[in-house]
Amino acid sequence: MFGLEAVTSPPERRMSPELIRRILMVVALAAPFALSACQTSRLLEIPGVGASDDAEDILRRIRKNEGLSVLAKDATLEKAAQEQAGLMAASHRMEHTTSRGNDFLARIRRNGVEGAAAENIARGNFDMERLFLAWMNSRGHRRNMLDERFTRFGLASAEADGEHYWALVLAR
């Protein structure tokens, strides 16, 4: 896939295997998978329902490493995330606004979420660790997951034609 032998700097020194591994990891995460920018609203691993269970330990670790409180799984937020993942899968498009009247704010309100909330979305056949690593390497997604206002989360995915669509909803 990549010609590693051609990568030298200066010609008499080769890059360390660890540096090459890190570069390839970044390329592997960035190239094949698309991530959308996040939307945040102040108004207010296993694919499918139940993905929050598999994400709980990862989110706990991420937030504890930053000195933040742990997020609680929330069935209402998981339902909102499942709705978004399903809409994206049905349209084969990864976007926060899936159709007229189906934007983030409308979904949040429809699901009874009030106060601050945010949504991260992704498309790709990620395992849970890679999904959250990709989000942590994206400034907007990272900001949402580390927002100290949030106390709850819901994660879900849906599949269409072998492709997974992911939605993470965070709220107070």
Side-chain angles (χ1 to χ4, degrees):
M1 175 150 93
F2 294 98
L4 296 179
E5 293 301 318
V7 181
T8 59
S9 177
E12 68 276 3
R13 292 179 38 205
R14 296 201 183 272
M15 293 172 61
S16 74
E18 177 63 20
L19 181 57
I20 291 171
R21 186 185 69 75
R22 287 182 182 195
I23 290 169
L24 288 176
M25 185 183 319
V26 169
V27 169
L29 285 172
F33 302 109
L35 290 173
S36 174
C38 301
Q39 290 184 354
T40 302
S41 170
R42 292 185 179 268
L43 293 176
L44 344 155
E45 133 104 15
I46 307 300
V49 175
S52 297
D53 291 337
D54 297 315
E56 190 172 25
D57 288 339
I58 296 169
L59 272 172
R60 176 181 291 119
R61 187 174 61 234
I62 288 170
R63 288 184 55 99
K64 281 192 150 202
N65 286 343
E66 299 293 327
L68 298 169
S69 63
V70 174
L71 298 174
K73 293 181 298 184
D74 184 274
T76 299
L77 298 181
E78 189 169 280
K79 181 181 173 205
Q82 186 63 49
E83 181 182 348
Q84 171 61 6
L87 288 167
M88 290 188 302
S91 68
H92 299 281
R93 297 172 67 185
M94 185 190 67
E95 55 192 9
H96 292 282
T97 301
T98 54
S99 64
R100 187 173 185 176
N102 273 324
D103 63 358
F104 174 63
L105 184 58
R107 281 191 312 281
I108 292 301
R109 285 183 176 159
R110 196 167 41 245
N111 283 285
V113 178
E114 296 181 13
E119 175 179 80
N120 287 359
I121 60 175
R123 177 180 61 209
N125 295 326
F126 296 102
D127 64 30
M128 205 59 66
E129 290 286 339
R130 286 184 67 200
L131 174 65
F132 280 92
L133 180 61
W135 278 335
M136 285 300 288
N137 286 319
S138 165
R139 189 172 57 183
H141 295 98
R142 178 185 179 91
R143 182 182 62 239
N144 283 346
M145 291 189 301
L146 299 180
D147 191 318
E148 60 189 24
R149 296 173 299 168
F150 299 144
T151 60
R152 306 175 293 141
F153 80 97
L155 175 71
S157 74
E159 183 181 346
D161 298 329
E163 183 104 67
H164 285 93
Y165 294 82
W166 297 91
L168 172 68
V169 178
L170 305 128
R172 250 192 272 217

